[in-house]
Amino acid sequence: MTARDPLAAQPIHDDGRKANVKLILLWLLAAILVLFALLNTHEVGVDFVFNTWSAPMILVIAISALFGAAIGFLVRGHLANRSKD
């Protein structure tokens, strides 16, 4: 390939805008989740397989968010490893 070849590899200049946008969206989503949890503090019944527990909704929301984040982290890692093969 020559320097004039349009298919020649050219350096990509990424000044971090994509990372900044993702970080801002992540913080915005976290703030909305915290606000939602703080506005829902009443007791709720949690039905799980063989038993029912009473817990504050803020706790149920927080635990659900942590489980969702953990599952997303694991799936993302699994998919990244699959794409390398």
Side-chain angles (χ1 to χ4, degrees):
M1 284 193 242
T2 64
R4 299 175 81 161
D5 188 358
L7 298 177
Q10 297 181 4
I12 298 173
H13 299 287
D14 184 18
D15 54 355
R17 285 188 204 153
K18 288 181 184 177
N20 287 342
V21 169
K22 286 183 181 179
L23 189 60
I24 290 169
L25 289 175
L26 180 66
W27 279 106
L28 182 63
L29 184 63
I32 290 170
L33 179 67
V34 168
L35 181 64
F36 181 74
L38 289 174
L39 292 174
N40 292 286
T41 57
H42 56 280
E43 290 281 323
V44 294
V46 180
D47 295 319
F48 189 73
V49 186
F50 298 113
N51 203 353
T52 300
W53 292 282
S54 179
M57 188 177 275
I58 189 169
L59 185 64
V60 174
I61 292 170
I63 291 172
S64 298
L66 288 174
F67 276 135
I71 290 170
F73 179 77
L74 293 173
V75 168
R76 181 178 173 190
H78 177 70
L79 292 178
N81 288 339
R82 258 181 92 181
S83 66
K84 288 181 184 177
D85 294 340

